[in-house]
């Protein structure tokens, strides 16, 4: 995971926290985030010799985001991205989110 993140670090928006799973646990990635003023909430890998402190409560809340994406992917139109136009695709996501969370 963190190998692909190397290309995206420079284009990260100004945020306060970055929540990630153990796949993003790398010292260089943590340093790059720190240089941009972003606090990392990433647990350390099991084989890491020096334990890394992270906000466990905040990390548990990351699950809500994953559940939301899972529910959106239940909509075949969103999961397979039938709509190539970004505006129409965003509209499909908004419609799916409205039905999922309003009904």
């Amino acid at each position: 995971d963190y190998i692909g993140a190397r290309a995206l670090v420079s284009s990260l928006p100004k945020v306060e926290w970055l929540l990630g799973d153990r796949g993003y646990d790398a010292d260089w990635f943590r340093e790059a985030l720190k240089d941009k003023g972003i606090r990392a909430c990433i647990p350390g890998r099991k084989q890491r010799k020096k334990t890394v402190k992270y906000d466990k409560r905040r990390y548990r809340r990351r699950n809500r985001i994953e559940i939301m994406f899972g529910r959106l992917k239940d909509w075949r139109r969103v999961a397979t991205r039938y709509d190539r136009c970004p505006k129409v695709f965003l509209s499909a996501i908004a419609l799916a989110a409205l039905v999922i969370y309003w009904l």
Side-chain angles (χ1 to χ4, degrees):
D1 287 335
Y2 66 88
I3 295 170
R6 185 182 301 270
L8 301 174
V9 168
S10 61
S11 63
L12 282 174
K14 184 165 175 55
V15 294
E16 192 174 333
W17 287 89
L18 183 122
L19 305 176
D21 59 1
R22 285 188 165 95
Y24 292 96
D25 179 36
D27 291 330
W28 68 264
F29 188 62
R30 290 178 186 276
E31 285 297 320
L33 292 174
K34 190 176 181 180
D35 292 342
K36 289 190 66 100
I38 301 172
R39 296 171 65 183
C41 184
I42 304 169
R45 293 179 186 245
K46 302 268 187 207
Q47 65 266 19
R48 185 180 266 274
K49 292 178 182 171
K50 184 179 176 185
T51 59
V52 178
K53 292 184 179 181
Y54 66 99
D55 188 352
K56 292 180 182 179
R57 183 170 171 246
R58 189 178 301 268
Y59 181 74
R60 270 188 250 122
R61 296 167 99 193
R62 181 183 131 267
N63 189 30
R64 295 178 184 175
I65 298 168
E66 291 187 10
I67 290 170
M68 185 258 322
F69 277 110
R71 287 182 181 166
L72 282 174
K73 288 180 180 180
D74 287 342
W75 287 61
R76 186 173 175 208
R77 179 177 207 98
V78 173
T80 58
R81 186 141 188 205
Y82 283 157
D83 306 309
R84 296 294 172 203
C85 176
K87 289 182 181 179
V88 177
F89 183 64
L90 182 60
S91 299
I93 290 174
L95 179 65
L98 180 75
V99 171
I100 290 169
Y101 294 104
W102 191 35
L103 297 179

